[in-house]
């Protein structure tokens, strides 16, 4: 309950209020919030978008979507866990996954990927005001992916 909120929209001003826990009734400041919008249905992207998470305890997780203007996308992921165990330093790396190039399309707040096992639906949004042909960041499955700069 301490993570529950209620929200309201009064003439375009959205307010969020804690509805449980010790801070019940506290209004959350949304003055810096950015509105999420859908990707146009016929939009094609060109570029790579990556996510990197480095957690406590030596865990690292990175993911990347490489979009092509022909309507295909390649998804890769990697990472490792490292730490001290019985006086030795160890690193555990998962096995290799072969990246697949699959087709994608957008429908409202969904990216639909057509793969060998059928259709996969993932939440997808961009920040309002960003260029739909080359957004600087996108949200996929609730996580922010940044545009990878050319090296």
């Amino acid at each position: 309950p301490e993570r529950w909120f209620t929200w309201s929209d009064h003439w375009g001003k959205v307010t969020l209020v804690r509805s449980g826990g010790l801070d019940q009734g506290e209004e959350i400041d949304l003055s810096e919030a950015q509105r999420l919008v859908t990707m146009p249905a016929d939009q094609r992207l060109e570029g790579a978008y990556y996510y990197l998470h480095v957690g406590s305890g030596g865990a690292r997780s990175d993911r990347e979507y490489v979009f092509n203007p022909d309507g295909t996308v390649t998804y890769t992921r990697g990472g490792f866990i490292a730490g001290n165990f019985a006086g030795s330093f160890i690193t555990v790396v998962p096995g290799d996954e072969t990246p697949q190039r699959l087709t994608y399309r957008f429908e409202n707040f969904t990216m639909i990927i057509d793969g060998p096992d059928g259709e996969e639906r993932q939440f997808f949004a961009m920040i309002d005001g960003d260029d739909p042909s080359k957004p600087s960041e996108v949200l996929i499955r609730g996580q922010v992916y940044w545009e990878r700069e050319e090296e």
Side-chain angles (χ1 to χ4, degrees), residues 46-65:
E46 182 175 11
Y49 292 85
Y50 73 97
Y51 166 83
L52 173 63
H53 174 77
V54 178
S56 62
R60 174 188 165 133
S61 171
D62 50 325
R63 300 182 203 118
E64 183 175 61
Y65 287 86

Side-chain angles (χ1 to χ4, degrees), residues 16-53:
L16 190 64
V17 177
R18 294 185 191 275
S19 59
L22 297 174
D23 298 324
Q24 184 172 356
E26 176 188 2
E27 185 174 318
I28 307 300
D29 180 19
L30 298 176
S31 62
E32 300 294 320
Q34 296 176 299
R35 186 174 300 271
L36 300 179
V37 296
T38 62
M39 185 64 73
D42 60 348
Q43 185 66 55
R44 293 289 178 247
L45 296 175
E46 182 175 11
Y49 292 85
Y50 73 97
Y51 166 83
L52 173 63
H53 174 77

Side-chain angles (χ1 to χ4, degrees), residues 29-134:
D29 180 19
L30 298 176
S31 62
E32 300 294 320
Q34 296 176 299
R35 186 174 300 271
L36 300 179
V37 296
T38 62
M39 185 64 73
D42 60 348
Q43 185 66 55
R44 293 289 178 247
L45 296 175
E46 182 175 11
Y49 292 85
Y50 73 97
Y51 166 83
L52 173 63
H53 174 77
V54 178
S56 62
R60 174 188 165 133
S61 171
D62 50 325
R63 300 182 203 118
E64 183 175 61
Y65 287 86
V66 178
F67 293 94
N68 302 293
D70 65 357
T72 60
V73 62
T74 303
Y75 173 73
T76 56
R77 66 181 178 173
F80 60 86
I81 299 174
N84 289 318
F85 180 73
S88 298
F89 189 79
I90 61 169
T91 303
V92 178
V93 179
D96 289 336
E97 281 189 17
T98 304
Q100 293 182 318
R101 193 169 177 163
L102 307 167
T103 60
Y104 72 94
R105 67 185 187 281
F106 299 109
E107 183 179 295
N108 298 318
F109 281 104
T110 306
M111 176 173 61
I112 302 168
I113 299 174
D114 294 312
D117 298 328
E119 206 173 75
E120 182 179 321
R121 302 172 76 82
Q122 298 180 1
F123 174 80
F124 191 98
M126 58 179 264
I127 305 295
D128 191 19
D130 219 347
D131 178 3
S133 67
K134 195 135 180 88

